[in-house]
């Protein structure tokens, strides 16, 4: 593990890396990106990982409290308290709303969410396909339910620490070491979930501005993930180490995954229960199910991902 988010990567070096992992033009259904890798055979392979029937949800609670890492809290209030004497039954109704692309809500990033140098995945010009009405390419509604084999890279378990400190970078060598230690191998069409211990640290130490300082992948880990053919990437942060090692690019892993590779991202997972469950059975692969809301034109969706061991 690196004690810092480095080494630094220049913008020119980053652009070379972007070109090396880019999959533009690889699939007829470009709006699904790397999710095209998940065939019926891949789903059947994933189903075989569900052995004990243990179900582990991975969503954070709906967060209506303002904090350093949640400057735009979700909304939740009652709209009907059932104050009607007749006819029966009384109904209780509530309203929810959220600006979910942040660090307070578990969500899925669709391919329309991230542009680099003005272009979305597959080279679409962002201004031409995303406007006030939503996205006409790469919308979350094009992904549908996501069912595949999940792999947990539990770095604190490997290193025998409670968590990675904010700013610690996970490199390609760390991914390989985690595979060996956990007895799991990332394969074609898999979803890779990185546990840094973010949720445990936040619980024990309190919230901080994780947009400025967080553990996560260094960009040098991305070519390995691209070589393995991952279809989905996620973590208990938002996958990026911060401060960013790339000059003038705040979220370089987002750029490489979503914009270059067409890989959707799962942000802000709670992986603590999954860490305990996988350790208990000694298996770090599982069936993963993610069902985003069907939002035409949406750049993503709040989600409750579920692992089945």
């Amino acid at each position: 593990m690196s004690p810092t988010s480095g080494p630094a990567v220049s913008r020119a070096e980053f652009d070379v890396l972007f070109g090396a992992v880019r999959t533009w033009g690889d699939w007829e259904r470009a709006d699904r990106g790397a999710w095209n890798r998940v065939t019926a055979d891949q789903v059947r392979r994933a189903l075989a990982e569900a052995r004990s029937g243990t179900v582990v949800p991975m969503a954070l609670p709906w967060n209506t409290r303002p904090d350093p890492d949640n400057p735009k809290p979700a909304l939740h209030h009652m709209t009907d308290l059932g104050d009607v004497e007749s006819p029966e039954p009384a109904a209780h109704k509530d309203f929810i709303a959220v600006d979910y692309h942040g660090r307070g809500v578990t969500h899925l990033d669709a391919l329309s969410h991230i542009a680099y140098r003005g272009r979305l995945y597959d080279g679409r010009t962002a201004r031409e396909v995303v406007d006030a009405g939503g996205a006409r390419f790469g919308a979350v509604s094009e992904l549908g339910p996501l069912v595949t084999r999940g792999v947990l890279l539990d770095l604190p378990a490997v290193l025998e620490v409670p968590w990675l400190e904010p700013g610690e970078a996970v490199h390609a060598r760390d991914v390989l070491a985690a595979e060996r230690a956990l007895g799991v191998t990332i394969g074609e069409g898999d979803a890779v979930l990185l546990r840094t211990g973010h949720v445990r640290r936040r619980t024990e130490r309190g919230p901080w501005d994780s947009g400025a300082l967080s553990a996560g992948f260094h960009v040098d880990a991305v070519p390995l993930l691209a070589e393995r053919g991952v279809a989905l990437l996620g973590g208990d942060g938002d996958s990026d180490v911060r401060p960013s090692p790339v000059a003038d690019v705040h979220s370089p892993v987002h750029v490489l995954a979503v914009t270059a590779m067409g890989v959707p991202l799962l942000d802000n997972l709670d992986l603590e229960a999954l860490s305990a469950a996988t350790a208990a059975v000694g298996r770090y692969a599982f069936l993963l199910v993610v069902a985003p809301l069907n939002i035409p034109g949406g750049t993503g969706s709040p989600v409750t991902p579920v692992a089945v061991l």
Side-chain angles (χ1 to χ4, degrees), residues 17-231:
L17 180 55
F18 184 97
V21 300
R22 186 172 58 192
T23 60
W24 295 4
D26 282 9
W27 293 290
E28 183 177 350
R29 284 291 308 277
D31 52 0
R32 291 174 62 80
W35 200 251
N36 283 283
R37 294 189 173 114
V38 183
T39 63
D41 285 343
Q42 170 68 11
V43 173
R44 284 190 288 269
R45 175 174 168 245
L47 291 171
E49 298 289 355
R51 304 173 194 174
S52 67
T54 301
V55 177
V56 184
M58 293 177 279
L60 296 172
W62 195 250
N63 194 342
T64 60
R65 174 179 170 175
D67 273 313
D69 57 352
N70 191 34
K72 297 180 180 179
L75 303 179
H76 179 212
H77 63 260
M78 301 302 294
T79 59
D80 195 331
L81 294 176
D83 298 328
V84 178
E85 294 183 4
S86 63
E88 295 285 4
H92 304 90
K93 303 175 186 177
D94 50 357
F95 168 90
I96 60 172
V98 66
D99 185 352
Y100 59 87
H101 282 302
R103 291 163 187 85
V105 175
T106 303
H107 66 270
L108 176 71
D109 290 342
L111 302 191
S112 53
H113 176 49
I114 298 293
Y116 181 62
R117 297 193 181 278
R119 295 189 179 275
L120 300 173
Y121 177 70
D122 213 46
R124 285 359 188 240
T125 301
R127 288 187 176 180
E128 293 178 355
V129 297
V130 183
D131 56 28
R136 296 183 297 280
F137 171 83
V140 71
S141 53
E142 299 302 323
L143 293 174
L146 309 180
V147 180
T148 194
R149 177 178 180 260
V151 171
L152 178 65
L153 296 181
D154 195 338
L155 267 295
V158 171
L159 297 172
E160 298 182 339
V161 296
W163 53 71
L164 305 187
E165 288 296 339
E168 284 193 69
V170 176
H171 298 275
R173 62 179 178 269
D174 301 313
V175 174
L176 294 172
E179 285 185 313
R180 291 192 295 269
L182 301 173
V184 68
T185 301
I186 299 166
E188 179 89 8
D190 284 353
V192 175
L193 306 184
L194 173 65
R195 176 176 176 258
T196 68
H198 178 107
V199 172
R200 179 176 174 182
R201 188 185 192 280
R202 188 183 190 279
T203 299
E204 296 187 17
R205 298 282 183 87
W208 70 96
D209 181 4
S210 54
L213 191 64
S214 61
F217 285 114
H218 189 277
V219 294
D220 68 14
V222 176
L224 173 61
L225 300 173
E227 177 185 325
R228 298 294 183 84
V230 301

Side-chain angles (χ1 to χ4, degrees), residues 15 44 57 61 72 91 106 130 157 187 212 232 238 268 277 308:
D15 285 345
R44 284 190 288 269
K72 297 180 180 179
T106 303
V130 183
L232 185 63
D238 69 352
N268 312 319
V308 186

